[in-house]
Amino acid sequence: MWQLLQFPLCPFSRKVRLLLAEKSIGYQPVRESPWARRDEFLHINPAGQTPVMIDDEAGIRLIDSMAICEYIEETGDKPAMLNGSAADRAEQRRLVTWFDTQFYREITGPLLMERMEKRIVHRQTPDTRVLREAMKAAVEHLDYIDYLLDHRQWIGGATMSLADLAAAAQISIADYLGGIDFKTHDLAKRWYVGMKSRPSFRPLLAERMEGVPPPADYEKLDV
Amino acid sequence: MWQLLQFPLCPFSRKVRLLLAEKSIGYQPVRESPWARRDEFLHINPAGQTPVMIDDEAGIRLIDSMAICEYIEETGDKPAMLNGSAADRAEQRRLVTWFDTQFYREITGPLLMERMEKRIVHRQTPDTRVLREAMKAAVEHLDYIDYLLDHRQWIGGATMSLADLAAAAQISIADYLGGIDFKTHDLAKRWYVGMKSRPSFRPLLAERMEGVPPPADYEKLDV
Ligand SMILES: N[C@@H](CCC(=O)N[C@@H](CS)C(=O)NCC(=O)O)C(=O)O
Ligand SMILES: N[C@@H](CCC(=O)N[C@@H](CS)C(=O)NCC(=O)O)C(=O)O
């Protein structure tokens, strides 16, 4: 049985968990708080980051969410979440990286720092200037998602792919932290409601980070 | 014929170029300076980053160095640069990401800002505190490379892989910018001299960035 080292608001872990669920691969979530910088964890992953996926019996340790997803794609069953032609897969990978790096750097990362880490680790209040910047960036990213969905069926192209899981993972954490307003973003909203409704997604939406409650409508499917 | 949008000191482009050369895939380098934020370039890649690889005849545009490398792996001939078992490939991918993100963030990125961008774009002098931090980080990264090479033949495991190309790409740019001192790092040095000696590497070492000369011994194979 796989063990997945993660915490409830880690968007990279959430992407991996969505992929595992879409492929019906079982795993045991194990709580790891990267900010605690546990020696034992740093010994496993010198980058000190979640997620890490471990199968102790098979002696396999997978580190970095994209390396984990590629592993799952290579070894798991269908549906392929990197699919179509090689060029299609490249476009899907581009968008995974877009959400994992640009969206995370401008939105999810700052929100996690201001609304989670400052609250539960540093006992500080959030910097409202940083929050405002993140929410402004979120509007631009929703514009880009609207633009993509105006030209194609799914985030990464004609089919559902890992790009949708990566995007939904980042958005759902940003939404949990109060950073998303779908107003005027109808295509993005309709797509996200579809993602939220998937059986792979429902259990994740029910999870809570202690001390960090989500907005009232976070789990609702119609907003 | 592929066109590769890049500039001489882009470590991500260098990784792609090493992979193309190892696979004997021809391409035409096309100069792109991401800091100029050309409208036409931003239209191609909204992330505004090099490298971008284009085959206009086939209508293919590949964006993000890892997506490009995966594409080359999927479509190109041997030697496979992600090789061995799925777990082996995951370890190789982990280390590509390690060098592309940790090494770049702590070393290559700051050096490029202080010693290239400030000089040729902003006409400013480098911040010596930032340079010192980057060089301290470089020593720690060389320690980690020594540790890896004390336990395995190559950076990513028992075989040469994309992890070696990613590591050598980052190190060679940091070295061009005067940030690397191999003193006391014998395993790292021997490995890097081996990488530098490869036919895929020699032409890259001969390239220069105008206004930013490398140290005298940058191209030498014995230092
Ligand atoms: N490239 C990594 C990024 C993972 C990452 O940044 N995880 C965050 C938690 S959401 C973390 O562990 N941050 C702690 C740190 O970077 O020190 C991946 O995709 O797995
Ligand atoms: N994840 C990207 C990173 C590429 C990257 O950061 N490229 C740098 C040049 S070395 C760049 O274009 N920076 C400009 C910017 O980020 O605005 C990749 O692997 O291709």
Side-chain angles (χ1 to χ4, degrees), chain A residues 45-47 49 60-64 66-67 70-71 74-75 86-87 89-90 93-94 97-98 102 105 144, chain B residues 45-47 49 60 62-64 66-67 70-71 74-75 86-87 89-91 93-94 97-98 102 105 144:
Chain A
N45 180 9
Q49 297 177 327
I60 297 179
R61 278 183 184 179
L62 307 175
I63 290 166
D64 183 73
M66 192 58 184
E70 297 278 1
Y71 179 95
E74 290 182 356
T75 58
R89 287 192 292 279
R93 288 190 178 101
R94 168 179 88 84
T97 301
W98 172 267
Q102 313 284 328
R105 190 181 57 217
Y144 185 52
Chain B
N45 180 10
Q49 297 178 328
I60 297 178
L62 307 174
I63 290 166
D64 183 73
M66 193 57 183
E70 297 279 0
Y71 179 95
E74 289 183 356
T75 58
R89 287 192 293 278
E91 175 67 357
R93 288 190 178 102
R94 168 180 87 84
T97 300
W98 172 268
Q102 313 283 328
R105 189 180 60 218
Y144 185 52

Side-chain angles (χ1 to χ4, degrees), chain B residues 47-63:
Chain B
Q49 297 178 328
T50 51
V52 171
M53 200 162 88
I54 298 180
D55 180 342
D56 264 333
E57 261 169 68
I60 297 178
R61 279 183 183 179
L62 307 174
I63 290 166

Side-chain angles (χ1 to χ4, degrees), chain B residues 7 10-12 34 37 48-51 64-65 104:
Chain B
F7 63 97
C10 173
F12 307 98
R37 300 191 69 74
Q49 297 178 328
T50 51
D64 183 73
S65 68
Y104 178 74

Side-chain angles (χ1 to χ4, degrees), chain A residues 14-134:
Chain A
R14 193 164 272 201
K15 174 183 63 183
V16 169
R17 297 175 73 185
L18 288 171
L19 183 60
L20 289 166
E22 291 288 340
K23 302 223 181 213
S24 310
I25 299 172
Y27 66 98
Q28 183 195 347
V30 176
R31 184 62 169 269
E32 182 69 49
S33 306
W35 55 88
R37 300 192 69 75
R38 271 200 315 132
D39 279 345
E40 207 189 323
F41 182 58
L42 290 172
H43 189 74
I44 295 172
N45 180 9
Q49 297 177 327
T50 51
V52 170
M53 199 162 87
I54 299 180
D55 180 342
D56 264 333
E57 259 169 67
I60 297 179
R61 278 183 184 179
L62 307 175
I63 290 166
D64 183 73
S65 68
M66 192 58 184
I68 297 173
C69 289
E70 297 278 1
Y71 179 95
I72 297 169
E73 278 295 295
E74 290 182 356
T75 58
D77 290 335
K78 310 233 159 201
M81 287 287 160
L82 295 167
N83 51 48
S85 69
D88 293 336
R89 287 192 292 279
E91 175 66 357
Q92 293 158 10
R93 288 190 178 101
R94 168 179 88 84
L95 283 152
V96 172
T97 301
W98 172 267
F99 287 99
D100 281 1
T101 58
Q102 313 284 328
F103 193 104
Y104 178 74
R105 190 181 57 217
E106 296 169 21
I107 304 164
T108 330
L111 289 173
L112 280 167
M113 173 52 75
E114 299 304 320
R115 291 218 161 125
M116 181 195 73
E117 203 168 320
K118 281 199 179 168
R119 190 175 309 178
I120 66 177
V121 187
H122 310 295
R123 312 268 164 201
Q124 294 170 350
T125 49
D127 182 331
T128 50
R129 200 189 46 78
V130 174
L131 291 178
R132 250 197 326 271
E133 284 293 312

